[in-house]
Amino acid sequence: MILLLYALISISIYLPSTICVPLNSCTTGKLTAIYDYIVIGSGPGGATIATRLALNDYKVLLIEAGPDYDDIITETPVFWPEVQLEPQITAQFNPYLYSKEDNRTIQYPRGIALGGCTLINAMIIMTPNPSEWDDIANATNDTNWSYENIKSKYQPLVENCEYCANNDIDANKNGWLNISRSTTGFVESPLLTKNPVLTELLKAVSSEVPYNPDVDKNNTYDSYYFTPKSVSQDTGHRSDTYRRIKDVQAIKPTKLDVWTNTFVTKIIIDNGTKEACGVEYVIGAFLYKASPLEPLNPVKNDFVKLSIFAKREIIVSGGQWMSPQLLQLSGIGNKTLLEKFNISVIQDLPGVGQNQHDRNEMPYIVKLKVNPNFPGPIDPACILGGILNSSCLINSTINAPDDFLSSNAILFSILRSAAPIKANFPDSALYFAPLRFTGFRKNWVIKAAPYTIGPYITVIINYARVKNNLGTVEIKSANPFDTPLIQLRHFEGPDGQTEVNQIIDHIRFLRKIFIQSNFSQYVEFEELPGSNVTSDEDLSDYIHREVWGHHACCTNKMGDTENDPLAVVNSKGQVKGVKNLRVADISIWREMPGYFPFLPISIACEKIANDIIQLART
């Protein structure tokens, strides 16, 4: 009843800009629309598009299903595990790791709040490999996707490269996303440069791969590096799309409206002209079944569906799962699937919800003989305790950029190819953390909390060049609040065994560093996979059992919509066969972007924002 009352009160607030018209006609809605554009979702895609349009003086409505949520916990980088325990802003999906028939699920945290996943991520920031941009340009015949054009036109709009040297004239220093690097943080603090354990570890690493002084300027070779992160050097706080939205609202208060706790249930499309012109929505918090707080809601049929229209375009930026789900619910997708749930087919696009890629991620964990105290004197409960005590909060209000509280707890990382599949393109990122972390599985923070920070080192093998595109996302009903059927299908297809073999090679590489070097004097035992797991067969079993991922993508594939039957959008994000409708988020990638997706998505959506603006000016 409380949420229902809230919905009814909110309706009165929104009535001036809300209009009800027959849903098979866009004419009346467009004539009375006060917005040029409606953007659905406020993560890296939606926030980038909405803010760029507003800065160019277009009237934009940004709709977010979650709340406007900001506090010291979301701002302080090292608290990111705690943020993922906050049920108000973190949805917990449970996709099938392989297939529904296999019946093994994995926990998959996604941000549903203003700022999207940038509010809860671990803040690792890396540019894609140059060839990834060129591959998109070649596949779509759009030269604006080329590496040279991306680097000169769109990347500078995003990067405020605070970690770059002051005399680096090529650095991007005027963008909206603050990027710093751990060399200015706790890794090179006096405590750590004098730490014999870390010194010996870096010696072991440097005997295998060279040091990379600036991985975001050259990530084309095997190397180790101090990891760039989306943290401001000025404040030591997280930099994300939440701050970007707030900054642009302050600059253009009449151009960017933001509705939070507003759930879009359907895109309004004229049946005759196939023109998208508005959205249906309901007002309320925690409506989606992926929200841990959803069970507290009343029956959602009690909510009043409202409509809002745009003069120009609708841009969908709900992410890898909610974007294809919204298209399917709106009559865009595989005809057979839509007819199964009595959804009127607007555009038969079999590629919607197909082509899903996911990372193959894997923990390698050693227990040390002593606690090297990498982070210094800090209470482990501040990071993994599940309950924040007052001393943590006090310390976090005064944290400096070189404080452990301003880090994401990553010591350093390695780019490496096991057996190079593509020249000048390392297939994996291996990142080292002084934690015992086995991956995003159910209750992972609670399970990690008993292990203090320091005595364990976890290396996450992030196998990034996944070719397997057999994963799927399909609606399970016509109810917009249901989560879709998500099947990740790890290691399926012709490249599955190659991927397993590559990860086995990475494990053996890590054993050279930890077990077969001078650093072994500090190692008590290898916990995972375990020193007794040595054969290819046993390592393969370990990999199949422990694999996880958290960067699923590519479920609304971009491509040549004339010749590629699975292409959903063209090079400008425009949905095939539907006017005035675009998708702009991680779902449009053809293959997994880079090693970590925040920066690639933001750069890509600056490019698409420019496409939108250019069309509006013609």
Side-chain angles (χ1 to χ4, degrees):
M1 287 302 295
I2 293 175
L3 286 177
L4 180 56
L5 179 60
Y6 167 72
L8 293 175
I9 293 172
S10 300
I11 288 170
S12 65
I13 296 173
Y14 288 113
L15 276 177
S17 59
T18 302
I19 183 166
C20 296
V21 300
L23 297 186
N24 64 348
S25 173
C26 285
T27 304
T28 306
K30 289 176 73 70
L31 287 173
T32 57
I34 66 170
Y35 295 104
D36 295 307
Y37 299 94
I38 295 175
V39 181
I40 307 162
S42 64
T48 300
I49 297 282
T51 54
R52 184 60 60 192
L53 293 176
L55 288 170
N56 280 270
D57 289 322
Y58 295 101
K59 181 73 171 175
V60 182
L61 171 61
L62 178 61
I63 300 179
E64 168 57 50
D68 182 333
Y69 188 101
D70 181 44
D71 61 15
I72 196 63
I73 310 305
T74 56
E75 289 181 357
T76 304
V78 83
F79 291 156
W80 68 265
E82 295 284 354
V83 174
Q84 293 193 5
L85 292 178
E86 175 50 65
Q88 295 185 67
I89 61 176
T90 303
Q92 299 293 353
F93 288 85
N94 292 282
Y96 290 101
L97 187 61
Y98 295 101
S99 66
K100 183 179 180 181
E101 290 72 26
D102 185 79
N103 198 30
R104 275 187 280 180
T105 60
I106 188 167
Q107 190 174 74
Y108 223 111
R110 301 286 87 184
I112 299 188
L114 193 63
C117 284
T118 72
L119 210 62
I120 71 168
N121 67 7
M123 295 154 287
I124 302 175
I125 288 290
M126 291 182 67
T127 57
N129 186 274
S131 65
E132 293 184 81
W133 299 116
D134 290 333
D135 287 346
I136 297 175
N138 292 333
T140 62
N141 295 315
D142 184 343
T143 57
N144 274 323
W145 282 107
S146 71
Y147 172 62
E148 288 303 318
N149 279 325
I150 287 290
K151 182 176 68 171
S152 61
K153 293 181 180 180
Y154 308 115
Q155 192 165 323
L157 297 173
V158 180
E159 288 189 346
N160 181 22
C161 186
E162 293 183 322
Y163 69 82
C164 298
N166 290 330
N167 60 356
D168 188 346
I169 60 174
D170 295 325
N172 299 326
K173 295 182 180 294
N174 298 308
W176 54 265
L177 180 63
N178 296 320
I179 303 174
S180 58
R181 190 171 59 189
S182 293
T183 50
T184 58
F186 75 99
V187 167
E188 290 192 356
S189 69
L191 173 71
L192 287 171
T193 54
K194 297 177 182 178
N195 189 303
V197 181
L198 182 64
T199 300
E200 196 64 47
L201 179 57
L202 289 174
K203 282 183 182 179
V205 169
S206 61
S207 69
E208 298 293 333
V209 291
Y211 173 61
N212 188 335
D214 195 340
V215 71
D216 264 358
K217 291 195 70 174
N218 188 354
N219 58 13
T220 61
Y221 64 103
D222 288 10
S223 57
Y224 81 92
Y225 56 94
F226 296 111
T227 315
K229 58 188 186 295
S230 53
V231 174
S232 173
Q233 283 189 327
D234 292 335
T235 64
H237 287 172
R238 175 190 289 266
S239 181
D240 52 30
T241 60
Y242 179 90
R243 276 82 194 169
R244 170 64 169 173
I245 293 164
K246 294 296 183 179
D247 288 344
V248 173
Q249 279 190 299
I251 297 169
K252 295 283 186 178
T254 65
K255 296 298 182 181
L256 180 59
D257 285 350
V258 177
W259 292 359
T260 53
N261 288 329
T262 304
F263 194 96
V264 174
T265 59
K266 185 179 180 181
I267 304 163
I268 299 171
I269 304 171
D270 188 288
N271 289 325
T273 63
K274 292 189 178 181
E275 176 186 14
C277 60
V279 299
E280 287 184 4
Y281 66 95
V282 297
I283 300 167
F286 320 124
L287 303 179
Y288 198 49
K289 288 188 178 179
S291 168
L293 300 179
E294 185 272 342
L296 302 178
N297 272 328
V299 178
K300 297 176 192 64
N301 290 335
D302 291 343
F303 284 85
V304 177
K305 286 186 179 180
L306 303 171
S307 305
I308 187 73
F309 293 85
K311 297 175 185 177
R312 294 183 179 272
E313 294 188 25
I314 310 299
I315 296 103
V316 177
S317 301
Q320 72 270 32
W321 296 328
M322 296 180 76
S323 283
Q325 179 182 15
L326 182 58
L327 292 186
Q328 291 168 356
L329 291 169
S330 304
I332 304 168
N334 186 293
K335 179 180 179 180
T336 302
L337 175 67
L338 304 186
E339 290 177 342
K340 177 181 177 181
F341 299 110
N342 297 316
I343 295 173
S344 178
V345 179
I346 299 292
Q347 181 70 22
D348 182 14
L349 281 185
V352 175
Q354 303 297 304
N355 189 55
Q356 180 165 233
H357 296 60
D358 193 21
R359 305 278 190 214
N360 292 324
E361 300 187 74
M362 186 68 44
Y364 176 89
I365 303 176
V366 295
K367 170 69 167 62
L368 303 182
K369 293 178 181 178
V370 297
N371 186 345
N373 200 24
F374 288 141
I378 185 172
D379 182 358
C382 287
I383 304 169
L384 295 172
I387 299 175
L388 291 165
N389 60 49
S390 58
S391 65
C392 301
L393 296 176
I394 292 171
N395 288 337
S396 71
T397 62
I398 59 174
N399 62 303
D402 60 350
D403 191 345
F404 182 66
L405 289 166
S406 294
S407 81
N408 54 8
I410 304 299
L411 294 170
F412 61 88
S413 302
I414 295 175
L415 285 182
R416 181 177 187 267
S417 281
I421 296 174
K422 187 173 184 178
N424 304 316
F425 196 160
D427 62 52
S428 298
L430 319 178
Y431 42 110
F432 293 61
L435 310 168
R436 186 185 181 279
F437 173 61
T438 59
F440 291 119
R441 302 180 186 278
K442 189 174 183 180
N443 298 323
W444 75 266
V445 176
I446 296 172
K447 290 178 181 178
Y451 299 90
T452 58
I453 296 170
Y456 288 86
I457 294 180
T458 296
V459 184
I460 296 299
I461 301 170
N462 174 4
Y463 184 81
R465 296 304 301 147
V466 175
K467 292 294 184 182
N468 173 15
N469 68 341
L470 299 178
T472 57
V473 181
E474 298 177 341
I475 54 173
K476 294 184 293 190
S477 74
N479 182 349
F481 306 113
D482 283 344
T483 55
L485 170 62
I486 306 165
Q487 301 178 97
L488 298 173
R489 300 189 181 278
H490 283 266
F491 304 124
E492 289 193 21
D495 297 304
Q497 189 57 50
T498 298
E499 293 173 5
V500 171
N501 293 341
Q502 297 283 82
I503 296 172
I504 290 174
D505 190 275
H506 289 315
I507 292 173
R508 292 199 165 115
F509 167 79
L510 291 171
R511 284 174 170 170
K512 288 177 67 177
I513 291 173
F514 284 100
I515 308 300
Q516 300 164 17
S517 73
N518 287 337
F519 187 77
S520 63
Q521 64 185 298
Y522 295 106
V523 177
E524 184 174 343
F525 58 84
E526 176 187 294
E527 179 169 316
L528 289 176
S531 56
N532 61 325
V533 182
T534 57
S535 69
D536 284 359
E537 182 180 1
D538 288 346
L539 286 169
S540 178
D541 288 344
Y542 167 75
I543 290 166
H544 279 86
R545 184 176 66 252
E546 297 296 332
V547 69
W548 54 283
H550 71 300
H551 294 154
C553 72
C554 312
T555 50
N556 288 311
K557 179 184 175 184
M558 174 170 45
D560 181 350
T561 52
E562 295 300 319
N563 299 304
D564 184 347
L566 291 183
V568 176
V569 301
N570 64 14
S571 69
K572 297 175 173 59
Q574 295 167 311
V575 176
K576 179 180 179 180
V578 182
K579 300 174 184 176
N580 302 331
L581 179 64
R582 298 186 201 238
V583 181
D585 58 26
I586 195 172
S587 72
I588 69 169
W589 287 79
R590 297 173 54 78
E591 295 182 355
M592 188 77 63
Y595 302 96
F596 298 90
F598 182 6
L599 186 57
I601 298 168
S602 301
I603 295 171
C605 288
E606 287 285 6
K607 186 269 181 195
I608 293 175
N610 187 63
D611 291 330
I612 296 170
I613 292 167
Q614 292 301 314
L615 178 62
R617 290 175 177 173
T618 58

